[in-house]
Amino acid sequence: MTIKLSRGDLPADFAPGGAIAIDTETLGLKPARDKLCLVQISTGDGNAHLVQMDRTSYQAPRLKALLEDAGVTKIFHYARFDVAVLKHYLGAETRNIYCTKIASRLVRTYTDRHGLKDLVRELLGIELDKQQQSSDWGAHVLTEQQKKYAATDVLYLHELKSRLDQMLAREGRSALAKACFDFLPARAELDLMGWPEEDVFAHS
Ligand code: MN
């Protein structure tokens, strides 16, 4: 695995291909309070690119254009959070979203364990190390362990997607999954606007 890091934005020569795996690291779980620090991307080649955000301007035109490019699939695990954060900080309208957590919920109905670690263990037989999950992502210089942890979060999403796509097809739920993925920008906007917990579809 090669990990490349750039500051502020993606490098001009970054070639995403047809689908990228993407994740973010922030200072916490409240987008309005907790700043976006890092965006991790993999093209599915076993390597990762980390973009360490400039936390004053958040001017990242190349990253924003990639997020908004409907021709490139963005594979997230729990896209709801990342899409909200990317909208709040970069003003990006992320298009063409796939979420491995939603796909897992729609097909792995035999379990309530839908964490990335659980998925990677069951579907790929790989044990992930989640030790650096809660660390100071605001540090100006990230440790090697932090970089490795952050990169690992995007390394397996392409493979997970292909396994989950097979399961969705098997259960006849591919179209339902797509409808859920397509709703994610609205779900993220509800979170940002102040309806994080309420189910707007609920009767009471
Ligand atoms: Mn992560």
Side-chain angles (χ1 to χ4, degrees):
M1 170 174 67
T2 306
I3 303 173
K4 289 186 183 159
L5 186 141
S6 57
R7 290 185 183 270
D9 200 355
L10 279 168
D13 62 354
F14 183 80
I20 56 163
I22 178 165
D23 185 33
T24 65
E25 302 300 337
T26 64
L27 284 178
L29 297 178
K30 294 180 195 291
R33 183 192 68 185
D34 304 323
K35 284 189 168 181
L36 170 63
C37 299
L38 194 70
V39 178
Q40 309 100 274
I41 292 176
S42 176
T43 60
D45 62 356
N47 300 314
H49 197 100
L50 313 183
V51 182
Q52 198 169 14
M53 302 313 300
D54 160 10
R55 295 194 285 126
T56 46
S57 81
Y58 287 104
Q59 293 291 313
R62 285 188 289 268
L63 176 56
K64 184 168 183 276
L66 175 59
L67 293 166
E68 297 186 342
D69 182 352
V72 180
T73 305
K74 285 82 185 185
I75 314 167
F76 295 90
H77 183 75
Y78 197 53
R80 176 175 169 179
F81 177 76
D82 300 302
V83 167
V85 164
L86 292 164
K87 163 119 191 199
H88 183 75
Y89 287 98
L90 304 184
E93 305 285 350
T94 305
R95 296 194 174 84
N96 195 345
I97 300 167
Y98 188 101
C99 177
T100 52
K101 188 165 215 161
I102 291 173
S104 175
R105 285 190 193 280
L106 290 176
V107 289
R108 293 174 66 254
T109 44
Y110 49 82
T111 179
D112 58 0
R113 301 183 68 93
H114 301 285
L116 181 62
K117 196 175 163 68
D118 302 303
L119 281 178
V120 169
R121 184 195 296 119
E122 184 191 298
L123 300 181
L124 308 179
I126 296 166
E127 201 61 44
L128 285 187
D129 178 7
K130 276 283 181 189
Q131 262 183 15
Q132 296 291 317
Q133 186 158 30
S134 32
S135 67
D136 179 13
W137 295 106
H140 185 64
V141 178
L142 298 174
T143 66
E144 288 307 311
Q145 282 149 303
Q146 281 181 306
K147 286 193 242 178
K148 192 163 174 252
Y149 166 80
T152 303
D153 271 357
V154 291
L155 282 193
Y156 302 107
L157 297 183
H158 286 76
E159 273 183 84
L160 284 180
K161 176 181 182 296
S162 83
R163 296 296 307 272
L164 290 162
D165 278 346
Q166 290 169 10
M167 294 170 88
L168 284 165
R170 188 186 78 197
E171 302 306 321
R173 293 176 193 157
S174 306
L176 181 60
K178 172 140 191 342
C180 294
F181 303 153
D182 289 347
F183 178 66
L184 278 161
R187 180 60 267 185
E189 194 161 0
L190 288 165
D191 288 342
L192 291 173
M193 288 180 74
W195 290 276
E197 299 301 335
E198 284 166 69
D199 177 2
V200 295
F201 297 103
H203 174 256
S204 54

